């Protein structure tokens, strides 16, 4: 179980860090210099940056995902029903794996409409990171058993 805790801590840390970056993007395009450069690298279009509310919503979802993975891995205090947390971690895994495997296609645009810079960054960093984090979340969820909460009965006295 130590390995699961290490994996869960790493995944939760990466999700929390990514969430913090999204929260920062509600007020600045950092680490990029301009909103246009940000839109090109992070969204792949020249349509400008996402609204602050959208960045804040994504930051909140990533923070929630980080907590769920950390709690299931035993790296954070567990709150609420175990079945609900485990289902949440499976959902985190499914979303990340889908984003990683599907790349740009799940965001309503075709590859040809995205900038070359974004396509390159997505292929090198964004999609592989999503695949790695989704796999890590699946490892944590699978190590904790089925979502149903069914356990083999113990010996009868």
């Amino acid at each position: 179980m130590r390995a699961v805790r290490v994996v869960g801590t790493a995944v939760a840390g990466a999700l929390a860090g990514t969430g913090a970056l999204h929260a920062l993007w509600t007020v600045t395009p950092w680490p990029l210099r301009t909103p246009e450069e940000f839109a090109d690298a992070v969204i792949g279009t020249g349509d400008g940056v996402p609204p602050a509310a959208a960045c804040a919503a994504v930051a909140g979802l990533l923070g929630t995902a980080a907590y769920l993975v950390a709690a299931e891995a035993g790296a954070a205090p567990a709150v609420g029903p175990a079945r609900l947390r485990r289902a949440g971690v499976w959902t985190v895994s499914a979303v990340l794996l889908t984003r990683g495997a599907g790349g740009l296609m799940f965001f309503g645009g075709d590859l040809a409409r995205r900038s070359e810079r974004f396509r390159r960054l997505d292929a090198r960093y964004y999609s592989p990171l999503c695949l790695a984090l989704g796999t890590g979340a699946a490892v944590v969820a699978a190590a904790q058993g089925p979502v149903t909460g069914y356990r083999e009965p113990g010996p009868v006295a």
Side-chain angles (χ1 to χ4, degrees), residues 71-133:
E72 274 301 288
V79 177
R83 289 179 0 179
L84 185 59
R85 281 192 318 277
R86 190 154 315 121
V89 175
W90 279 117
T91 301
V92 167
S93 176
V95 168
L96 289 168
L97 289 170
T98 299
R99 167 58 181 94
L104 301 167
M105 301 312 286
F106 285 103
F107 294 102
D110 62 47
L111 284 170
R113 291 188 1 215
R114 302 297 175 148
S115 72
E116 176 59 35
R117 181 180 189 185
F118 180 79
R119 290 192 309 257
R120 183 176 26 84
L121 290 169
D122 185 64
R124 287 184 186 166
Y125 304 108
Y126 307 153
S127 286
L129 178 62
C130 288
L131 290 170
L133 295 176

Side-chain angles (χ1 to χ4, degrees), residues 15-16 18-26 52-65:
L15 290 170
T18 305
L21 188 57
H22 280 76
L24 185 64
W25 288 340
T26 64
C55 289
V58 172
L61 290 170
L62 287 165
T64 300

Side-chain angles (χ1 to χ4, degrees), residues 32-72:
L32 301 165
R33 288 178 272 134
T34 67
E36 294 76 24
E37 191 179 2
F38 175 88
D40 182 50
V42 178
I43 304 165
T45 66
D47 298 338
V49 299
C55 289
V58 172
L61 290 170
L62 287 165
T64 300
Y67 165 75
L68 289 169
V69 172
E72 274 301 288

Side-chain angles (χ1 to χ4, degrees), residues 152-157:
E152 290 293 325
V156 178

